[in-house]
Amino acid sequence: MAKNSPLVRLQAEIFDPAKEYNQFLKQNTGAGGAAICFTGLVRSNPDNPIVKLTLEHYPALAQRQLEKFANIAFERFKLQNISLIHRYGAMAVGEPIVQVMTISAHRQAAFDGANYIMDWLKTDAPFWKIEQSAKGKNWVENKACDENAKHKWKTD
Amino acid sequence: MKILYFAWIKERLNRSQDDLELPKNINNVNELMAWLESNDEQIKLAFENKELIRVAVDEELVEHDFDITNAKTIAFFPPMTGG
């Protein structure tokens, strides 16, 4: 059986979440018994509707960090496969920003792997959101809860 | 040495990078930040809240006491908000 390795894709273009997930599932070598797909979407704010979200990024470091988190998750949770897509540039409300897909023999590892990647990516991958609303442009501030979430994965 | 700026730091400085010859006595990120501040009023304002500033040296996230004597590229940016 061919062995899969984590795939990381950075792109400006929109992607079709279902199509990506189906493609990911098709790569199952047969050893995978549990697959997870998490999709992060552009969220509006009822009190101040978002017209556009723009993600600035540091390309070389972003690619490197995403690969690092995917590779760590792959080894640590003994996953069969990982695929991670993250967008940058301008996007509209409701569009997908990020999608992480994991597959493992049993479900806990697949859940944990996806969760681990998202927790680290929120605070340690160089992307910055700017929200555009009727009131103007606003750099999104980081949340303390995101900063805390990754620490639950510390092993030492 | 190439210095990169991202997000609101870049916006405040109105530029995305500097190419600078550093004095020989600058050995770590803290010293570089102090030197940049002393030469540029806008950087001083942007770096006002130092614990907010994240740093990458040659595409690796580092702390402010990281040694930069052999570094080629140093990037300054605010806390990251991806995902």
Side-chain angles (χ1 to χ4, degrees):
Chain A
M1 250 184 300
K3 195 165 157 51
N4 288 308
S5 57
L7 186 83
V8 170
R9 231 166 72 203
L10 267 176
Q11 63 182 56
E13 305 77 42
I14 191 166
F15 60 85
D16 179 338
K19 200 174 143 193
E20 296 291 345
Y21 191 40
N22 276 323
Q23 242 155 23
F24 177 75
L25 292 175
K26 277 184 194 150
Q27 293 164 27
N28 184 5
T29 56
I36 295 296
C37 177
F38 169 84
T39 313
L41 307 169
V42 180
R43 182 182 57 237
S44 192
N45 175 353
D47 303 326
N48 182 28
I50 303 304
V51 182
K52 186 174 87 175
L53 180 81
T54 306
L55 258 94
E56 181 177 324
H57 76 311
Y58 178 2
L61 183 62
Q63 183 76 32
R64 201 168 158 164
Q65 290 295 90
L66 297 185
E67 281 173 5
K68 179 172 138 188
F69 303 139
N71 286 326
I72 293 172
F74 189 73
E75 294 299 327
R76 176 164 168 184
F77 303 104
K78 302 192 169 34
L79 302 177
Q80 301 292 330
N81 198 10
I82 299 178
S83 189
L84 171 59
I85 308 166
H86 203 302
R87 290 176 67 203
Y88 56 86
M91 40 202 105
V93 169
E95 285 187 13
I97 307 174
V98 60
Q99 183 155 302
V100 55
M101 297 165 277
T102 57
I103 186 164
S104 57
H106 304 286
R107 72 182 184 284
Q108 197 59 52
F111 273 120
D112 286 348
N115 209 4
Y116 175 94
I117 290 170
M118 283 310 302
D119 279 349
W120 278 96
L121 176 160
K122 292 297 278 187
T123 60
D124 285 54
F127 295 91
W128 302 274
K129 292 191 180 105
I130 317 169
E131 290 174 344
Q132 176 90 46
S133 71
K135 290 181 188 166
K137 235 178 65 173
N138 177 50
W139 288 100
V140 173
E141 278 187 38
N142 62 316
K143 299 187 190 79
C145 60
D146 285 338
E147 202 58 51
N148 293 330
K150 68 184 180 195
H151 295 304
K152 69 171 171 277
W153 301 105
K154 291 238 158 91
T155 47
D156 48 6
Chain B
M1 181 181 287
K2 195 192 271 183
I3 318 272
L4 306 176
Y5 309 104
F6 291 96
W8 56 253
I9 297 177
K10 175 178 84 177
E11 213 170 62
R12 285 191 201 172
L13 301 181
N14 216 7
R15 63 182 187 276
S16 61
Q17 72 174 73
D18 282 323
D19 281 291
L20 300 171
E21 192 81 34
L22 303 194
K24 289 207 176 354
N25 59 348
I26 290 178
N27 298 309
N28 66 29
V29 174
N30 276 321
E31 291 167 5
L32 172 62
M33 287 174 83
W35 182 71
L36 289 168
E37 283 180 280
S38 69
N39 289 320
D40 189 315
E41 202 56 35
Q42 289 308 111
I43 290 185
K44 197 171 176 184
L45 286 171
F47 287 179
E48 199 178 7
N49 201 347
K50 279 207 182 50
E51 58 271 33
L52 275 186
I53 309 296
R54 302 289 197 270
V55 186
V57 173
D58 295 330
E59 289 156 18
E60 191 189 337
L61 286 182
V62 300
E63 300 297 329
H64 289 191
D65 58 0
F66 192 82
D67 186 291
I68 57 164
T69 38
N70 294 312
K72 291 186 176 70
T73 304
I74 299 186
F76 291 102
F77 41 85
M80 294 156 270
T81 54

